[in-house]
Amino acid sequence: MGTPGGVPVQRNARILSNGALAMLIFSFAEVMLFAGLVSAFTIAKANALVWPPPGQPRLPAFETAFNTLALLLSGFFLYRAQLEYWRSKEATSAPVVVLQRPAAAARTPFLISILLGAFFVLFQGTEWVALLREGLTIASSQQGGFFYLIIGMHAAHAIAALALLVYAYRQLTHGNLTESLFGASTVFWYFVVLVWPVLYWRVYL
Amino acid sequence: MAVSVGSEPTAHEDHHHEQSFWSKYVFSTDHKVIAMQYMATGVVMGLIAGFFAYAFRMQLAFPGMDVPGFGIVTPADYVSLVTNHGSIMVFWVAMPVLLAAYGNYLIPLMCGCDDMVFPKINRLSYQVFLLSAIVLVASFFVPGGGFGGAWTAYPPLSAKAEYNLTPLGSSLWVLAVALEFVAFLLGGINFITTAMNSRAPGMKMYDIPVVIWMLLIASILFMLSVGPLIAAAIMLLFDQNLGTAFYDPNRGGDPVLWQHLFWFFGHPEVYVVLLPTIGLTADIISVFSRKKLFAYRTILYTAFGTGILSFFVWAHHQFISGIDPRMAHIFTVTTLLISIPIAEMMFVYIATLYGGSIRFTTPMLWALAFIGEFLIGGVTGIFLGASGADIYLHDTYFVLAHFHYTFFPITIIGFYGGITYWFPKMFGKMMNETLGKIHFWGTIIPFNFIFIPLFFLGMAGQHRRIYNFEHFPELATPGLQNIRVFATTALLIMLSFQLVFFYNFITSLRKGKKAGKNPWKANTLEWTTESPPPHGNWPPSELPSVYRPPYEYSHPDREEDYWPQNVPN
């Protein structure tokens, strides 16, 4: 309420934009989701007498290591894009980046990041096709069930995060990418990137 | 002159536009309307769950009776009724009313901003919640009937249609629960972001009212605990429908895995619903004893401590599931430890009352009743937390009575305390105090008469999941049966007194005295705007600024006995 004769009061400082903070909180919930899945898998694996279960293929650990690298690189390029974006933001100090030129520097690393991410998802898809041919299905064994559950859950997140990134990229090319949207999409992608090595370690190795 | 910069308007440009009925009440993004939608849905679901309780309590007191309004309760009906009574009360009454309705209503108003930071996500949250409620209600009407594997849904009973005989009902139940969690994830993100990023200028962390802190801590607990249960629910759905064997011991699965994942969520969940009620009790007690809340910061630290500790107690639900006894000892210790912070909060409230000028308004009666009744729930919990005693008491009516002595104060008393306190703000009218008090005593006295007898039945060894005690001669003695009839009679009395509340609610809404901005002479920001608050809460130029903590009552330097947060001096 506008109080007469009041002492001026400062607005509270924000540490993160709304979008970034919201997505960070969401990511904590997601981390716990994957923690639940991975611990369930760990217990199932520890209880099994033979692993992988008889008649089931080994998971393609080597190929996926290469794919892991692609995903990590994607995260790295997104970080580069973020640095450029912040630099252009400092130059304009507007809530929305309106100047095309400085923000344009963020576009190339952003695009590379998206392409690497898409490569990761497609590569995973080809691996799934191969595994299905070798007889690993969701109902074939504990290994199959947990593999498709955990990796599929990650893939679903990767696809959703990629869609968000593509949308943010489009906003950037039109010069109206808000800090909130950019924050939300980058935090979500970092989550997808950073949870993956843990899944790779627990599921594939 | 306006004080510096107001909160940045978050998401509407449409503050003063005329709105159609649909956009104003059905597809609204206004946090107050969404709060009302959550509350109305919660109350309707509560009536359904109350009706279920009536039906199965009648069956227990008068086995084989043709229950008026329901008919003969078959064994399948009975398990479905108790399962869905529990599920609805926890997931579709306690959570939407305490967390979602009060959270949505109070967070923007008490933080002094015009709406949630993501109003559309907020609307989506309610829509997903409504869908989940519809899916659950639909599950009662599919072939085979509603799910009957208890609200904890332990596999293998819940995982296999050959065992539970509800192939559709059990899948719909899991689906409804999963949807409900999505709704609360969306809501909780909004709550935390709004309270962190959109508080009124000048509102420091320690100027946030306790009820808001508690809603936030509850949301954080929910966020951190729900993931494993979503994982478990997906695995259960897969087991039911896709032929996986996550919980099937014949194929290398582990049914106890579900119990761990479920209770890893289930115990923090108790605090998810408890903390909002603890918070609104603090606000009500401080206002109606006209006294500064005792040890504000201690309450906060205690709540954070409780939250952290609540992640390390879950296996006390599983003492007889075959877990290692050494492990059980550890969980006994953590469980007994967690009673300390809760006891501390109770003492803090009593210390706030001490020396205050107490006003026994209806909301104050509810708040005081919460302290007294929840105490019984807490104290009986100690017996169940100790693994030795629990081995005897497990799955008896003692557990059931203990559970209801925690959840009834949390959910029902918390709801009535909140609604009687904020009714003037929500609807601009005062509620009738006499009717309010009749309803209060008509609820509290029968409540104790329902559940105190059940403690005795539990100690006599009465198992929880028996449909007809006539089949068990040792449990069908006239002495025990009379206690069951007594408890059911008390339930009927309590249910009928709820009509007083609805009558009071409707007549007060229509003919109640005008409330004015601040009928209770309270300090927090929601009382500085009109009752009911307009769309946008305050006119954009008059968004409040904050100068002091929220509980400055009876300050010696002031003529009036309250000192609102937004008054500069």
Side-chain angles (χ1 to χ4, degrees):
Chain A
M1 188 180 285
T3 3
V7 200
V9 179
Q10 287 295 310
R11 272 188 58 75
N12 302 300
R14 283 181 191 187
I15 302 165
L16 285 172
S17 69
N18 290 342
L21 178 61
M23 198 54 94
L24 195 65
I25 299 161
F26 182 64
S27 299
F28 281 129
E30 296 281 28
V31 166
M32 291 305 291
L33 170 71
F34 281 99
L37 291 171
V38 167
S39 51
F41 175 63
T42 308
I43 292 167
K45 199 168 156 182
N47 284 344
L49 297 174
V50 250
W51 197 268
Q56 293 286 289
R58 289 191 166 275
L59 298 174
F62 181 73
E63 293 85 338
T64 311
F66 171 71
N67 209 11
T68 305
L69 212 60
L71 189 64
L72 289 174
L73 268 177
S74 165
F76 171 74
F77 277 104
L78 191 64
Y79 179 64
R80 291 297 303 268
Q82 202 169 21
L83 287 183
E84 292 294 341
Y85 177 83
W86 283 336
R87 209 167 290 157
S88 72
K89 281 271 302 170
E90 276 163 20
T92 60
S93 76
V96 170
V97 176
V98 273
L99 291 178
Q100 291 286 332
R101 214 167 50 80
R107 279 170 59 176
T108 318
F110 202 158
L111 190 61
I112 296 174
S113 170
I114 293 175
L115 290 177
L116 281 169
F119 170 78
F120 171 84
V121 172
L122 291 175
F123 195 96
Q124 285 290 109
T126 58
E127 277 186 356
W128 277 38
V129 174
L131 284 169
L132 286 169
R133 282 215 187 99
E134 290 175 37
L136 186 75
T137 68
I138 193 161
S140 67
S141 68
Q142 287 292 310
Q143 188 195 23
F146 275 109
F147 175 79
Y148 290 110
L149 175 67
I150 298 176
I151 306 303
M153 190 71 80
H154 182 266
H157 282 84
I159 291 165
L162 272 178
L164 194 60
L165 279 182
V166 169
Y167 177 67
Y169 181 77
R170 278 194 49 146
Q171 298 295 96
L172 181 68
T173 54
H174 292 114
N176 47 12
L177 177 60
T178 60
E179 200 178 346
S180 194
L181 173 62
F182 191 55
S185 50
T186 49
V187 169
F188 198 22
W189 188 248
Y190 290 147
F191 159 73
V192 169
V193 170
L194 292 178
V195 81
W196 175 256
V198 180
L199 300 184
Y200 175 70
W201 169 50
R202 294 311 305 167
V203 177
Y204 284 83
L205 297 183
Chain B
M1 68 189 130
V3 178
S4 86
V5 221
S7 273
E8 184 182 317
T10 36
H12 356 232
E13 299 75 35
D14 55 341
H15 278 309
H16 304 291
H17 288 192
E18 281 301 311
Q19 294 172 301
S20 72
F21 172 82
W22 287 95
S23 64
K24 197 169 174 186
Y25 295 109
V26 182
F27 297 108
S28 175
T29 54
D30 187 326
H31 71 100
K32 298 182 290 294
V33 178
I34 293 169
M36 294 302 158
Q37 291 172 332
Y38 262 116
M39 189 174 284
T41 316
V43 169
V44 169
M45 293 303 278
L47 291 174
I48 296 174
F51 176 71
F52 286 3
Y54 153 78
F56 66 71
R57 277 302 326 171
M58 290 299 274
Q59 159 65 22
L60 288 173
F62 312 105
M65 178 201 190
D66 190 351
V67 179
F70 187 88
I72 303 282
V73 181
T74 65
D77 287 340
Y78 180 83
V79 288
S80 174
L81 287 172
V82 288
T83 299
N84 287 296
H85 169 78
S87 316
I88 292 176
M89 282 297 188
V90 174
F91 295 127
W92 282 276
V93 180
M95 303 252 320
V97 169
L98 296 173
L99 196 58
Y102 288 140
N104 265 309
Y105 197 82
L106 298 176
I107 289 174
L109 274 169
M110 291 179 105
C111 290
C113 56
D114 57 352
D115 205 328
M116 291 286 176
V117 289
F118 305 112
K120 285 181 184 157
I121 289 183
N122 210 15
R123 176 178 62 186
L124 181 65
S125 159
Y126 173 72
Q127 288 167 344
V128 174
F129 173 75
L130 182 64
L131 183 65
S132 79
I134 293 169
V135 169
L136 185 80
V137 172
S139 81
F140 309 150
F141 300 103
V142 293
F147 176 55
W151 78 281
T152 50
Y154 284 0
L157 181 60
S158 57
K160 290 203 159 188
E162 303 95 84
Y163 301 155
N164 58 42
L165 303 177
T166 53
L168 289 169
S170 48
S171 288
L172 286 177
W173 183 89
V174 182
L175 184 67
V177 171
L179 281 172
E180 199 254 6
F181 292 153
V182 172
F184 283 99
L185 273 175
L186 297 171
I189 290 167
N190 239 326
F191 292 178
I192 301 170
T193 313
T194 305
M196 288 299 119
N197 274 359
S198 292
R199 292 192 311 278
M203 186 180 257
K204 305 273 185 301
M205 287 292 182
Y206 290 124
D207 297 335
I208 302 175
V210 169
V211 60
I212 301 300
W213 266 122
M214 294 297 169
L215 287 162
L216 289 188
I217 298 170
S219 303
I220 294 169
L221 286 184
F222 179 75
M223 295 285 167
L224 292 180
S225 63
V226 75
L229 182 56
I230 292 184
I234 294 169
M235 286 152 72
L236 187 59
L237 265 180
F238 279 18
D239 267 14
Q240 287 169 345
N241 300 308
L242 296 181
T244 56
F246 295 120
Y247 302 121
D248 184 352
N250 294 329
R251 290 167 60 203
D254 185 358
V256 180
L257 174 64
W258 166 272
Q259 299 187 20
H260 282 292
L261 293 172
F262 182 88
W263 288 116
F264 184 83
F265 162 81
H267 207 85
E269 164 73 8
V270 174
Y271 298 92
V272 170
V273 291
L274 168 64
L275 291 178
T277 301
I278 289 256
L280 60 91
T281 306
D283 271 59
I284 293 170
I285 283 184
S286 184
V287 168
F288 293 111
S289 49
R290 312 310 292 168
K291 196 157 161 265
K292 187 170 180 166
L293 188 68
F294 186 85
Y296 170 93
R297 290 190 186 196
T298 308
I299 297 181
L300 289 194
Y301 302 149
T302 308
F304 275 110
T306 313
I308 293 166
L309 204 50
S310 73
F311 285 95
F312 301 98
V313 299
W314 80 87
H316 67 215
H317 297 271
Q318 297 167 245
F319 284 149
I320 64 156
S321 72
I323 65 169
D324 191 321
R326 288 163 296 184
M327 184 80 114
H329 283 315
I330 294 170
F331 280 97
T332 296
V333 172
T334 53
T335 304
L336 298 188
L337 273 180
I338 208 167
S339 58
I340 295 172
I342 300 297
E344 187 184 313
M345 288 194 206
M346 297 294 141
F347 284 124
V348 163
Y349 292 168
I350 294 166
T352 305
L353 292 166
Y354 180 78
S357 42
I358 298 173
R359 279 137 213 216
F360 287 106
T361 55
T362 314
M364 184 63 161
L365 289 177
W366 287 113
L368 294 173
F370 171 73
I371 297 178
E373 303 291 353
F374 188 76
L375 205 63
I376 301 177
V379 169
T380 51
I382 293 184
F383 297 93
L384 300 170
S387 56
D390 183 67
I391 288 170
Y392 174 69
L393 293 171
H394 184 89
D395 249 355
T396 64
Y397 269 63
F398 191 91
V399 176
L400 189 144
H402 154 73
F403 177 87
H404 283 84
Y405 259 103
T406 57
F407 260 69
F408 184 92
I410 291 171
T411 311
I412 310 297
I413 296 184
F415 164 65
Y416 285 134
I419 191 87
T420 47
Y421 180 60
W422 278 291
F423 186 91
K425 181 53 60 185
M426 288 172 173
F427 304 105
K429 302 279 177 66
M430 300 302 287
M431 276 186 114
N432 184 316
E433 279 286 309
T434 317
L435 287 175
K437 281 172 185 157
I438 292 172
H439 169 237
F440 169 79
W441 291 111
T443 306
I444 286 296
I445 296 171
F447 160 66
N448 287 289
F449 283 153
I450 302 171
F451 290 106
I452 291 226
L454 299 191
F455 281 118
F456 291 103
L457 286 176
M459 286 186 284
Q462 180 177 310
H463 191 271
R464 278 174 83 171
R465 310 202 191 273
I466 293 173
Y467 147 75
N468 184 345
F469 287 101
E470 283 175 341
H471 303 157
F472 298 85
E474 293 82 0
L475 294 174
T477 60
L480 293 181
Q481 192 59 31
N482 285 344
I483 298 180
R484 285 174 208 128
V485 175
F486 184 83
T488 299
T489 314
L491 174 76
L492 296 179
I493 296 171
M494 187 180 88
L495 287 178
S496 54
F497 265 99
Q498 305 316 303
L499 294 174
V500 178
F501 172 77
F502 288 104
Y503 175 77
N504 188 4
F505 189 94
I506 291 162
T507 50
S508 303
L509 210 55
R510 294 178 60 198
K511 294 183 226 152
K513 202 166 68 172
K514 278 247 182 299
K517 278 187 179 180
N518 191 358
W520 308 123
K521 301 198 189 314
N523 285 342
T524 41
L525 292 178
E526 79 273 28
W527 303 105
T528 64
T529 184
E530 302 295 329
S531 306
H535 189 53
N537 296 344
W538 288 269
S541 61
E542 290 177 21
L543 281 161
S545 291
V546 167
Y547 297 90
R548 68 185 53 76
Y551 301 108
E552 298 294 326
Y553 292 102
S554 306
H555 196 280
D557 302 342
R558 302 269 301 171
E559 243 168 60
E560 285 164 318
D561 69 348
Y562 68 115
W563 200 359
Q565 285 190 283
N566 67 320
V567 174
N569 43 44

